[in-house]
Amino acid sequence: MKTLRDTAFSMLDLVAVREGASVADALAISLATAQHAESLGFVRYWLAEHHNMQGIASSATAVLVGHIAGGTRSIRVGSGGIMLPNHAPLVVAEAFGTLAELYPGRIDLGLGRAPGTDQATMRALRRDRIETEADFPRDVTELQNLLAPAQPGQKIVAMPGAGTNVPIWLLGSSLFSARLAAEKGLPYAFASHFAPRLLLQAIALYRSQFRPSTALAKPYVIIGVPLIAAPTDEEADFLASSTYQRVLGILRGDRRRLQAPQEGFLARLAPDERTAIDDFLGAAVVGGPDTVSAGLKHLNQATGADEFMLVCDIFDPALRLRSLDIAVAAREA
């Protein structure tokens, strides 16, 4: 079993637009956070594709990957993920192939099979066909082939893209992607930052069914971990109220910009709403240094994950950076 000190840290950024601030502010905060994560030794920095959400500025994910990679030096940068049903595999291969040529050895391509948006926006993305269960595995295979070296007589060649072998990760919150990642011998990232219910079952399935491939010799698991760290448990609980407001908005279908923290926010909610937030954030680690250390160690022991992908939605950007500092110190404690 890996110890917590052996567990790599990375970060997933939804590029939250804060109440009272602009999209440009959100993009600048993202870059500054990536630079700080790099200075702390984080392995990778991922950005997630979402559409038609006023509080999230990461819809043009490949563009942002390039922006973050251009403003950092060594950290891997990628998608967590590209929602493959929204795109033709050739377009994805060309975009990430271009990024791989610009930033060799630093680009990751995480793929999800959810649309990452609502039905109306799906139509706006020109997704007018009905998806079948076979579409995603077929598109992943096509994308793998487009990023591999071109073969003699190959009719469609991604240029750039062919021969870059951009590492592909499969993302998911269900058993489907776990099974597919195992079958294809690909690294797997479980979305426990918002859907932790099947976490242990999914990673057990992935590990037990894993088939070594040219991409990966043995299973590799990332888990999403919502993190709010502060000098005291009380301050962390207060700062976490911004995340609680965001989650409640998702559950109510009332998505807004990231809100400032509020004293006593959870106490004002109905019991069923508090339960729903707790379920959503079942893998969250919120607290002072000792609480964070204990929480991260518990996740490590329960999952044996190779890497924690931290999701840290704190309203004050400086306190967000401090939260990452505390988590790194807690890992070494």
Side-chain angles (χ1 to χ4, degrees):
M1 173 69 71
K2 291 179 180 294
T3 68
L4 182 57
R5 290 188 180 187
D6 297 325
T7 305
F9 276 11
S10 293
M11 189 161 185
L12 174 65
D13 193 355
L14 303 184
V15 193
V17 183
R18 288 156 174 78
E19 187 65 43
S22 67
V23 169
D25 293 330
L27 298 175
I29 290 167
S30 229
L31 179 56
T33 306
Q35 291 167 339
H36 191 72
E38 181 176 66
S39 75
L40 292 173
F42 279 38
V43 175
R44 67 191 89 244
Y45 198 91
W46 279 3
L47 302 127
E49 177 185 348
H50 292 82
H51 299 278
N52 195 29
M53 298 178 187
Q54 65 166 307
I56 296 178
S58 54
S59 55
T61 314
V63 176
L64 271 181
V65 169
H67 176 61
I68 298 297
T72 51
R73 295 183 177 182
S74 59
I75 194 169
R76 298 191 67 89
V77 187
S79 59
I82 289 291
M83 299 299 107
L84 192 51
N86 295 341
H87 310 279
L90 176 60
V91 174
V92 177
E94 290 170 340
F96 278 78
T98 301
L99 289 166
E101 296 289 359
L102 289 168
Y103 309 104
R106 293 185 55 206
I107 302 301
D108 293 330
L109 175 53
L111 301 173
R113 70 185 186 105
T117 190
D118 55 78
Q119 293 288 330
T121 309
M122 285 169 58
R123 289 191 292 272
L125 289 165
R126 302 192 176 189
R127 283 194 57 201
D128 54 357
R129 65 186 177 90
I130 298 174
E131 294 289 328
T132 69
E133 193 172 84
D135 287 335
F136 184 68
R138 184 171 55 244
D139 285 349
V140 171
T141 298
E142 182 179 347
L143 190 47
Q144 286 179 298
N145 292 336
L146 287 166
L147 292 170
Q151 300 301 305
Q154 184 173 324
K155 292 184 178 180
I156 305 296
V157 176
M159 183 53 66
T164 58
N165 294 304
V166 177
I168 289 176
W169 295 70
L170 293 193
L171 320 180
S173 59
S174 70
L175 303 184
F176 180 93
S177 292
R179 188 175 291 110
L180 182 61
E183 176 187 319
K184 287 186 167 293
L186 293 173
Y188 178 55
F190 189 85
S192 39
H193 57 289
F194 71 86
R197 186 171 61 88
L198 294 177
L199 169 61
L200 298 180
Q201 189 176 350
I203 60 179
L205 174 67
Y206 167 69
R207 287 173 174 145
S208 67
Q209 297 189 5
F210 182 84
R211 300 177 187 173
S213 69
T214 56
L216 194 63
K218 60 182 181 179
Y220 192 96
V221 172
I222 290 178
I223 64 169
V225 181
L227 170 80
I228 306 291
T232 66
D233 287 352
E234 293 74 20
E235 184 181 352
D237 287 337
F238 170 66
L239 296 176
S241 63
S242 295
T243 294
Y244 302 150
Q245 292 176 73
R246 180 180 63 82
V247 172
L248 185 62
I250 292 171
L251 297 172
R252 288 176 171 176
D254 180 23
R255 293 177 179 267
R256 301 182 182 184
R257 296 188 171 205
L258 187 66
Q259 301 294 305
Q262 295 181 17
E263 289 284 0
F265 176 76
L266 284 180
R268 298 195 295 272
L269 301 182
D272 61 328
E273 291 177 323
R274 289 197 295 271
T275 298
I277 291 173
D278 285 343
D279 290 344
F280 192 106
L281 296 173
V285 175
V286 178
D290 291 343
T291 301
V292 168
S293 181
L296 293 176
K297 286 176 180 176
H298 171 74
L299 283 174
N300 171 71
Q301 292 166 0
T303 67
D306 300 282
E307 194 170 323
F308 287 168
M309 182 73 69
L310 305 180
V311 182
C312 189
D313 288 327
I314 292 178
F315 188 79
D316 184 323
L319 300 186
R320 187 192 199 197
L321 302 185
R322 185 188 66 177
S323 185
L324 302 183
D325 294 339
I326 292 170
V328 169
R331 180 177 58 179
E332 305 302 322

